[in-house]
Amino acid sequence: MSYRRTIKLVCGFAGGSAVLVVAAAAAESRGYFGDKQGERSGQWSRFNILQAAQPATWSTGNHTVASTGHAWDFNWDKRDPSPLFTNGKKKENSSEDPSSEQENGKPKATRNILFIRHSQYNLSGNGDHERILTPLGREQAEFTGQRLAALGLKYDIMVYSTMARATETANIISKYLPGVELVSCDLLREGAPIEPVPPVNHWKPDAVQYHEDGARIEAAFRRYIHRADPKQKEDSYEIIVCHANVIRYFVCRALQFPPEGWLRMGLNNGSITWLTVRPSGRVALRTLGDSGFMPPDKLTRT
């Protein structure tokens, strides 16, 4: 086996540029790159090999991926009380002490938002009223309802899209969560939130649909995804039953990821996506598309 092939195998198994550098140094000193012993080859110098082994964002002395430079916007929901004050004083006249008033205006509770993707539905239906759940879809909703009940959380409300498949899913789930208020919302209907990057060939809405659906879905995001009101004392648990495009867009927006990346994720029918919004404005994704509570033969993604 040639020495050059040995280097490739060692580096392949080790997966690290350090092994390549050591091997290259040894090879160079022995003249395996076509040089005389002790001479440096311009094409195969150790520096050239080291550069080839490093990702573009690495440097010789820094083995960390370069930061994108995008800082977290703590006032992404425009509910941070800090901008209302300048040098410890409220911008408008107030008889209260500025520091105590600012403290009173701070959120104190955490919001937990559990998104449920609707169950499998009849894709061949003519219009929304015929696109109801399939028998399997109704089974999936039962599993989701059982899972939500088993979590033992004190749910405050269940909001659902007015489309037939989401409404039916919410109604089945509600059987397992007695006493939880149900509220419908047109803003949560399925649509095209923003043109995805990279594009796909099988789904190409026109510019008008992106313009209309995008504004509506963004309005839904601003209505439902934000930190708790300062008057809220206890952590809340809210359920939103809607659609894959809406949920994926919400996740990207909430995590301050590029929203055009929403189509890079996939969600099973009846799956649970759990977002947590802290009083500070921090957002965490606890689960994305969790459907492990369903038997494998019940899983679909339609």
Side-chain angles (χ1 to χ4, degrees):
M1 182 183 295
S2 69
Y3 199 84
R4 200 173 295 189
R5 186 177 179 188
T6 301
I7 293 174
K8 292 180 181 178
L9 288 174
V10 170
C11 294
F13 287 127
S17 59
V19 178
L20 177 58
V21 174
V22 172
E28 185 181 22
S29 66
R30 293 182 175 89
Y32 284 107
F33 290 148
D35 306 328
K36 295 180 180 179
Q37 186 171 349
E39 292 183 3
R40 180 184 297 273
S41 167
Q43 181 180 3
W44 289 101
S45 70
R46 277 168 290 184
F47 182 72
N48 292 143
I49 296 170
L50 177 59
Q51 282 185 313
Q54 303 288 4
T57 55
W58 285 18
S59 64
T60 305
N62 179 19
H63 288 198
T64 57
V65 178
S67 170
T68 61
H70 299 300
W72 179 263
D73 177 12
F74 280 92
N75 197 26
W76 57 273
D77 59 353
K78 309 305 178 189
R79 294 174 185 242
D80 184 353
S82 300
L84 299 176
F85 297 81
T86 304
N87 299 324
K89 297 181 180 180
K90 194 173 182 183
K91 293 181 179 180
E92 298 177 358
N93 294 330
S94 175
S95 58
E96 294 187 37
D97 176 62
S99 59
S100 63
E101 189 174 356
Q102 184 176 10
E103 188 64 29
N104 292 335
K106 286 183 178 180
K108 301 172 181 61
T110 295
R111 293 186 67 216
N112 294 275
I113 308 169
L114 288 80
F115 298 97
I116 312 299
R117 190 195 172 193
H118 62 77
S119 302
Q120 185 191 64
Y121 69 103
N122 176 25
L123 288 168
S124 60
N126 294 319
D128 181 59
H129 68 285
E130 291 187 5
R131 293 176 182 173
I132 58 176
L133 299 187
T134 64
L136 174 56
R138 289 191 286 273
E139 280 190 78
Q140 292 170 339
E142 299 277 352
F143 284 120
T144 304
Q146 293 168 13
R147 174 59 176 170
L148 290 171
L151 291 175
L153 302 173
K154 184 181 177 182
Y155 300 107
D156 298 271
I157 193 172
M158 185 191 303
V159 184
Y160 59 91
S161 159
T162 53
M163 297 188 81
R165 54 189 183 270
T167 300
E168 190 175 358
T169 301
N171 287 332
I172 294 174
I173 291 173
S174 68
K175 297 189 305 181
Y176 297 91
L177 305 174
V180 176
E181 180 184 7
L182 274 76
V183 178
S184 64
C185 180
D186 284 332
L187 293 178
L188 294 169
R189 295 172 70 89
E190 184 63 300
I194 188 174
E195 189 171 359
V197 176
V200 292
N201 294 324
H202 62 275
W203 187 72
K204 289 184 176 294
D206 57 31
V208 174
Q209 185 175 355
Y210 281 124
H211 180 71
E212 294 178 351
D213 290 353
R216 172 178 54 78
I217 296 172
E218 174 62 22
F221 173 81
R222 298 187 185 195
R223 173 179 290 189
Y224 294 110
I225 314 303
H226 53 77
R227 73 193 80 189
D229 187 274
K231 296 178 182 178
Q232 181 177 324
K233 303 302 181 184
E234 297 181 354
D235 294 351
S236 59
Y237 296 87
E238 304 155 50
I239 300 171
I240 297 179
V241 183
C242 56
H243 310 270
N245 295 0
V246 177
I247 296 171
R248 292 180 287 184
Y249 176 79
F250 281 7
V251 168
C252 288
R253 286 280 285 111
L255 297 178
Q256 299 186 24
F257 293 162
E260 61 270 19
W262 63 271
L263 198 51
R264 302 170 198 173
M265 298 176 277
L267 300 175
N268 286 337
N269 294 113
S271 62
I272 301 174
T273 296
W274 187 339
L275 273 178
T276 298
V277 184
R278 302 291 183 186
S280 64
R282 293 182 182 272
V283 180
L285 180 63
R286 296 189 60 170
T287 63
L288 176 67
D290 176 26
S291 54
F293 50 86
M294 294 189 195
D297 61 341
K298 303 297 182 182
L299 297 176
T300 60
R301 187 185 299 175
T302 58

